[in-house]
Amino acid sequence: MRRISLVLMFLSLATAQSPSTNSYAEGSDTAAVRRQMLALRSAELQYDVSSAAKLLADGFLLSGADGNLYTKERFLKLVGDKSNPLELFDYSEMEIHIYRATAVVFSRLHEKGFMGGKPYELNGRPTWTWIKRGQVW
């Protein structure tokens, strides 16, 4: 994901239920998850640790392309780190599958910025998992 080619994985899923998606109209849960994804992207672009923290569960884990796991605390340090600026951080081709109180988001990520003063560019396919607690994703 951010600055060091990290791919986000919240939790693993173990369900055989088929997803409830609609090709023509986006349901309210799908729209809510899309809003959460865009809110997290916005927080990262603005280095807004407080807003990002509100979106992530305490048990949040991020699996990095470097093989490391990042806790919520460690991830938020990356969000607030302005020393490695982003030029581009964009999700596209977002496909959201809802399984009861779990949403799995597949997307394309294009990220471009500087790390350690050197430019980098990442094109990836992260998978995100959102869990609905009460009425909130």
Side-chain angles (χ1 to χ4, degrees), residues 70-135:
Y70 292 79
T71 62
K72 179 178 180 178
E73 180 181 348
R74 194 169 171 197
F75 175 73
L76 291 173
K77 286 180 184 176
L78 292 174
V79 170
D81 183 4
K82 294 181 181 179
S83 67
N84 294 313
L86 288 169
E87 290 182 348
L88 177 68
F89 188 63
D90 189 39
Y91 302 127
S92 63
E93 300 176 29
M94 200 180 304
E95 186 175 322
I96 301 169
H97 296 263
I98 305 292
Y99 303 87
R100 295 184 186 166
T102 304
V104 181
V105 182
F106 303 95
S107 66
R108 187 172 296 279
L109 170 67
H110 186 194
E111 181 178 331
K112 192 174 181 179
F114 290 86
M115 188 167 149
K118 296 181 181 179
Y120 77 94
E121 187 168 3
L122 167 70
N123 287 291
R125 285 291 226 173
T127 301
W128 305 72
T129 305
W130 293 84
I131 307 298
K132 189 174 188 179
R133 294 186 176 168
Q135 296 301 310

Side-chain angles (χ1 to χ4, degrees), residues 4 6-9 59-76 78:
I4 55 175
L6 299 175
V7 178
L8 181 67
M9 299 266 182
F60 168 87
L61 284 177
L62 180 132
S63 178
D66 58 2
N68 290 311
L69 284 177
Y70 292 79
T71 62
K72 179 178 180 178
E73 180 181 348
R74 194 169 171 197
F75 175 73
L76 291 173
L78 292 174

